[in-house]
Amino acid sequence: MTSIGTGYDLSNSVFSPDGRNFQVEYASKAVEADGTAIGIRCADGVVFAVEKIVSSKLLVPGANKKIQTIDKHVGVAYSGLTPDGRHLVDRGRSESYSWRGLYKSPIGVPILADRLSGYVQAYTCYSSVRPFGVSVIVGGVDKSGPHLYTIEPSGAFWGYMGAATGKGRQAAKSELEKLDLPNISARDAVKAAAKIIYIAHDDSKDKDFELEISWVSTSETGGDHQFVPKDLLDEAERLAKAEDDDDDDDDDEMDED
Amino acid sequence: MNTMFAEQFNEPATNHSTAAPIEHRFNPYSDNGGTILAISGADYAVLAGDTRHISGYSINSRFQPRVHTLPGEKPLIVSANGFSADGETLVRRLAQRVEWYSYNHNKPLSAKSCARLIQTMLYGKRMFPYYVATILAGLDENGRGAVYSFDPVGSYEREQCRAGGAAASLIMPFLDNQVNLKNQVDPATGEPKIATDLSLEDTVKLVKDAFSSATERHIQVGDYLEIKIVTKDGVSVEYFPLKRD
Amino acid sequence: MDHMPENWGRPRSDVYGSYQHAIHSAGPQSHTQVPSITGTSVIAMKFNNGVILAADNLGSYGSLARFTDQERLIKVGKETVVGFSGDASDMQYLESMLERLIIEDNYEQDGHNFRAPHIYEYLSRVMYNRRSKVDPLWNAILVAGKKDDGSPFLGYVDLLGITYSSPCIATGYGAYLAIPLLRKLVSEDEDAKNVTEEQARAAIDESMKVLFYRDARSLDKYTVATVTLDGNVKFDKDVRCQNMNWRFAEGIRGYGTQKQ
């Protein structure tokens, strides 16, 4: 960040003279330091994918999932401080749980995103708390169809056809723009998502990562949020790796030229 | 006299017996039949029960075991017979307490202490009792067989043998005579016979005979007999078919 | 002079007015309701590859056939079916409890899923705890599915918290009318190994027909659910009683309009 807070960055509830809330901007820094997470809104659902950086070889493969389920029909992926994300997911679960208790029906995704963003926004208003250090991609299928939102540390939430946060978000966004959204099928979106995560991943900076992909789709999962089956994940990963290697080869050739 | 009373004055006097609403009162208890029987010996205790589960005249299940082994290395066996929902609940709560005891104190709960625990749990619901006849069987601190029997609100005592449940009144007099040798006189001396410990084999035979006879005369008893035997080596189980009518 | 001895010694109606029975209902709070919309029997049996169960689609309001498309068999989790008889609102309450239970279980996508014995355990504790508050959920419930070891599971729990398992179980009038027919095929758990799904289905259909003949609160339209040991749940809805013969009805005497 170019400008220094000059004292206006020490508390949440204080604006700087030029109208900025520095604590929120610092929170965004935490997001930018974490692995990439993307969401794709496809024809009849939503696909999530994350690049989960494996910080130690001692961690159990497949453990500490970064994609989570808020309700039957709602999934979530995020970049940033994982515990902050976990807490927000808990909040989302209690919102949707109490909605079911009151209305005997699943909560709508836009309403859930609205309520979660309201919760996040509240953490930018008080000096006793700090903002959430996560950008959250929330998506799912409800009776009005598929929805995808991103909630930022400021509490702003935007609806997307394709969303990306984290380290590789720029590369991921430009790849997402090339897709035929929102007409792409869920199955194709899974393969595209794997490819994008591999493109967004920077080998030189990060060591190992695990690819996590989940989906909510009327045709594929009956409207439930689930991790994609292992064979599909393996296939998507194989295709993504193959393409990634090709790109590397191209680079090599260019070097030779 | 106001007009309301005047109107009521004209009603037939007999009307009120039918005017009251018919109340459908919920009865939180029922009887699920079955019988249990325990006998202790020098180095063993036996607790047996039939596996029939009933409601009214219906047989719900022919095989719903009612004799439970409590958790632990030196297990105790227990059965709470009568209203099965209360019985199952009592036994599972007891099992939990016994397990926690072993974790908290790093030793198994003795039969004597378990008996007192059961009395506390039963009396704790004195005003809304567990509707069950409870029997606990195991080995005491000296390795002797021990049988404790309880009424629904926790009154208990240690005994040589006890029958509980639907056919208790059929089996208990038989036990008095055959285990405690009541009303038996030694023909040589003319003195009442003194009861001694039975062998395990004789006990199991006695249990089978008792249940076969109870099955003949009691409609709520039958299908299978489950006999659980505690010795220093643990709990063993034996099944014996009973009549299914 | 009042010649009715039962009236002697009472406050005289001609002086005080007749006894106001409304006083009876003014008292301490009473939880225990009576069921209003009710469903009749649920029947179920094991066979060599799973469990089959059936319940008709009638929701009765007393003796009135109020709803004729009531679904009383529900799928819970991936491989369990729960069948409800008794009060419909209590059924819907339990249904929503079970749905939320499953949703919470799915938060951790760790491959664990609730099987029939777990759901059965949960329901039995809910039912027993409510009866212990003398505020029961007015239902008799069957839970069908498979155990952790892959064998079939069938259990019963009712408003008193009574639980039991058996290779064939029926609630309500089914206990009198269907059980004898089902036990002809499967009397012991062992017998189920020799009964095919087709045989079991035929016995269930026959039982539902007999129940429709004799249970005045039943319907000839019902749902059959089959849970197989490979974890599949199959629903056959809007099934109709077939080949009915009502000739026997002429011979019924003792109630109804005819006098002997």
Side-chain angles (χ1 to χ4, degrees):
Chain A
M1 203 156 293
T2 48
S3 80
I4 308 165
T6 59
Y8 294 106
D9 61 349
L10 299 178
S11 175
N12 235 338
S13 54
V14 175
F15 275 118
S16 78
D18 51 347
R20 295 160 66 179
N21 184 335
F22 281 104
Q23 282 295 315
V24 169
E25 292 182 24
Y26 296 162
S28 303
K29 283 281 175 193
V31 176
E32 289 164 23
D34 196 25
T36 313
I38 63 166
I40 299 173
R41 206 183 99 191
C42 50
D44 68 344
V46 173
V47 170
F48 299 96
V50 296
E51 167 208 22
K52 188 174 76 188
I53 309 287
V54 178
S55 56
S56 163
K57 288 203 184 305
L58 296 176
L59 290 167
V60 177
N64 309 307
K65 288 270 184 280
K66 282 204 75 175
I67 299 179
Q68 290 182 273
T69 301
I70 282 189
D71 198 334
K72 240 182 184 168
H73 61 302
V74 184
V76 60
Y78 46 82
S79 298
L81 304 178
T82 305
D84 285 24
R86 295 264 190 262
H87 176 71
L88 199 62
V89 167
D90 279 349
R91 177 70 189 194
R93 284 171 179 173
S94 59
E95 285 287 354
S96 65
Y97 189 88
S98 70
W99 179 282
R100 275 185 191 270
L102 268 174
Y103 303 114
K104 293 274 186 290
S105 72
I107 192 169
V109 181
I111 292 166
L112 179 66
D114 181 274
R115 290 186 177 188
L116 280 178
S117 73
Y119 188 69
V120 170
Q121 191 276 149
Y123 279 70
T124 68
C125 299
Y126 303 95
S127 57
S128 56
V129 292
R130 62 165 177 78
F132 278 84
V134 281
S135 259
V136 190
I137 302 172
V138 188
V141 179
D142 61 26
K143 62 175 188 284
S144 65
H147 301 273
L148 184 68
Y149 291 91
T150 295
I151 304 169
E152 295 169 6
S154 64
F157 76 112
W158 307 96
Y160 286 96
M161 290 194 288
T165 66
K167 266 179 205 172
R169 66 192 177 288
Q170 294 302 350
K173 277 177 186 170
S174 59
E175 287 299 317
L176 284 165
E177 282 171 15
K178 295 177 194 165
L179 300 176
D180 177 23
L181 299 177
N183 304 314
I184 190 171
S185 75
R187 214 157 258 275
D188 289 345
V190 167
K191 288 169 190 164
K195 204 178 85 180
I196 291 169
I197 291 294
Y198 268 83
I199 289 171
H201 175 70
D202 189 346
D203 279 325
S204 59
K205 283 193 192 137
D206 284 308
K207 332 95 217 177
D208 283 347
F209 77 96
E210 276 178 16
L211 175 66
E212 277 178 25
I213 305 182
S214 72
W215 56 359
V216 193
S217 156
T218 317
S219 58
E220 300 286 354
T221 68
D224 290 353
H225 177 247
Q226 292 165 354
F227 281 101
V228 297
K230 187 158 188 319
D231 52 346
L232 178 57
L233 178 68
D234 289 347
E235 191 196 350
E237 197 158 16
R238 186 178 54 76
L239 291 172
K241 271 181 184 161
E243 195 138 330
D244 208 32
D245 291 344
D246 284 350
D247 291 348
D248 292 347
D249 293 346
D250 293 346
D251 294 346
D252 295 344
E253 281 160 29
M254 277 158 71
D255 288 344
E256 281 160 25
D257 291 336
Chain B
M1 191 179 288
N2 66 33
T3 50
M4 195 181 76
F5 280 0
E7 278 168 27
Q8 288 172 342
F9 181 75
N10 293 323
E11 281 180 13
T14 51
N15 210 15
H16 58 245
S17 60
T18 53
I22 300 161
E23 224 175 298
H24 195 142
R25 191 160 156 71
F26 175 64
N27 176 195
Y29 292 113
S30 83
D31 180 6
N32 303 108
T35 288
I36 50 173
L37 158 60
I39 299 174
S40 67
D43 56 356
Y44 68 88
V46 169
L47 177 51
D50 66 325
T51 65
R52 178 175 287 186
H53 189 287
I54 62 109
S55 292
Y57 288 125
S58 294
I59 296 172
N60 296 326
S61 177
R62 296 195 189 278
F63 190 75
Q64 186 63 223
R66 49 167 57 80
V67 182
H68 305 273
T69 305
L70 294 173
E73 285 164 37
K74 293 183 173 175
L76 300 163
I77 46 183
V78 67
S79 182
N81 194 229
F83 172 40
S84 70
D86 274 349
E88 295 272 329
T89 304
L90 175 67
V91 169
R92 61 197 303 143
R93 286 177 182 166
L94 177 67
Q96 178 113 122
R97 296 282 294 268
V98 168
E99 195 174 333
W100 285 350
Y101 180 97
S102 70
Y103 297 148
N104 287 148
H105 303 285
N106 201 223
K107 65 176 184 184
L109 184 64
S110 66
K112 192 183 187 177
S113 304
C114 188
R116 174 52 70 92
L117 174 59
I118 292 171
Q119 104 91 208
T120 311
M121 292 176 74
L122 288 170
Y123 195 79
K125 270 174 66 69
R126 174 66 181 81
M127 296 306 164
F128 186 21
Y130 290 116
Y131 220 79
V132 284
T134 310
I135 298 180
L136 173 74
L139 300 181
D140 68 11
E141 292 94 329
N142 305 315
R144 275 192 65 82
V147 164
Y148 291 88
S149 67
F150 304 78
D151 83 347
V153 288
S155 166
Y156 77 113
E157 98 185 281
R158 183 174 172 178
E159 292 176 294
Q160 195 70 33
C161 63
R162 172 59 67 181
S169 58
L170 276 64
I171 295 177
M172 206 57 221
F174 172 70
L175 258 31
D176 287 339
N177 183 248
Q178 290 298 307
V179 178
N180 291 319
L181 308 184
K182 293 283 162 63
N183 300 102
Q184 287 200 264
V185 177
D186 189 337
T189 61
E191 292 295 309
K193 278 191 182 174
I194 307 296
T196 52
D197 285 325
L198 290 165
S199 72
L200 179 57
E201 290 70 34
D202 287 348
T203 298
V204 171
K205 274 188 206 163
L206 209 58
V207 167
K208 288 176 181 171
D209 285 347
F211 271 91
S212 299
S213 306
T215 303
E216 285 296 329
R217 286 289 187 174
H218 201 120
I219 57 168
Q220 298 178 341
V221 182
D223 294 325
Y224 294 96
L225 176 61
E226 182 183 47
I227 308 165
K228 285 199 174 179
I229 303 156
V230 208
T231 62
K232 63 178 180 2
D233 303 319
V235 177
S236 61
V237 191
E238 191 182 319
Y239 292 99
F240 178 70
L242 297 172
K243 287 171 87 169
R244 295 151 63 88
D245 55 5
Chain C
M1 170 70 191
D2 187 346
H3 293 282
M4 299 296 174
E6 66 268 27
N7 293 330
W8 296 349
R10 290 173 181 275
R12 286 169 54 188
S13 296
D14 55 346
V15 176
Y16 297 101
S18 62
Y19 182 70
Q20 287 183 297
H21 289 278
I23 292 168
H24 274 313
S25 53
Q29 185 198 338
S30 165
H31 286 300
T32 318
Q33 355 76 327
V34 287
S36 64
I37 301 289
T38 58
T40 185
S41 322
V42 183
I43 64 173
M45 73 184 290
K46 291 184 187 173
F47 61 95
N48 62 8
N49 190 35
V51 193
I52 183 167
L53 58 171
D56 73 24
N57 298 329
L58 185 63
S60 300
Y61 181 71
S63 60
L64 175 72
R66 180 68 181 78
F67 300 105
T68 53
D69 53 0
Q70 174 87 253
E71 187 51 72
R72 299 191 286 125
L73 301 181
I74 60 161
K75 187 178 170 187
V76 178
K78 290 191 175 70
E79 47 187 39
T80 303
V81 176
V82 179
F84 294 90
S85 58
D87 190 86
S89 63
D90 288 346
M91 171 184 84
Q92 287 170 0
Y93 171 69
L94 285 164
E95 224 178 311
S96 71
M97 279 179 91
L98 289 171
E99 185 177 27
R100 302 212 290 181
L101 183 78
I102 298 298
I103 287 169
E104 288 195 317
D105 183 51
N106 285 337
Y107 285 162
E108 308 306 324
Q109 299 214 335
D110 51 6
H112 172 266
N113 64 80
F114 274 112
R115 292 223 166 81
H118 313 130
I119 289 158
Y120 181 58
E121 204 65 51
Y122 177 82
L123 277 175
S124 69
R125 288 349 283 165
V126 170
M127 297 301 275
Y128 181 80
N129 288 328
R130 286 293 294 263
R131 91 95 218 188
S132 296
K133 288 180 194 157
V134 203
D135 185 16
L137 295 168
W138 217 285
N139 301 101
I141 305 166
L142 298 189
V143 180
K146 60 186 231 193
K147 296 183 202 164
D148 289 337
D149 66 6
S151 59
F153 176 90
L154 177 58
Y156 167 100
V157 57
D158 67 13
L159 73 169
L160 290 170
I162 292 173
T163 55
Y164 55 84
S165 288
S166 183
C168 35
I169 309 182
T171 70
Y173 277 112
Y176 307 109
L177 298 175
I179 284 295
L181 299 172
L182 301 180
R183 280 201 187 143
K184 276 202 278 188
L185 265 81
V186 177
S187 166
E188 304 280 324
D189 259 331
E190 289 298 310
D191 301 335
K193 297 196 171 73
N194 305 317
V195 176
T196 64
E197 183 176 342
E198 290 69 35
Q199 288 174 301
R201 175 60 193 265
I204 289 286
D205 284 332
E206 184 65 15
S207 299
M208 290 308 283
K209 186 160 74 180
V210 170
L211 279 165
F212 180 59
Y213 280 150
R214 277 299 188 168
D215 179 0
R217 306 282 175 268
S218 70
L219 200 65
D220 58 345
K221 184 161 68 92
Y222 56 96
T223 301
V224 180
T226 316
V227 191
T228 46
L229 294 185
D230 55 10
N232 261 322
V233 176
K234 192 169 66 194
F235 275 87
D236 193 0
K237 296 193 179 188
D238 295 326
V239 183
R240 292 282 182 166
C241 292
Q242 301 295 321
N243 304 319
M244 283 193 283
N245 179 352
W246 285 90
R247 293 286 297 277
F248 73 92
E250 298 167 15
I252 296 173
R253 290 289 181 274
Y255 40 82
T257 49
Q258 76 289 69
K259 302 268 187 275
Q260 285 309 314

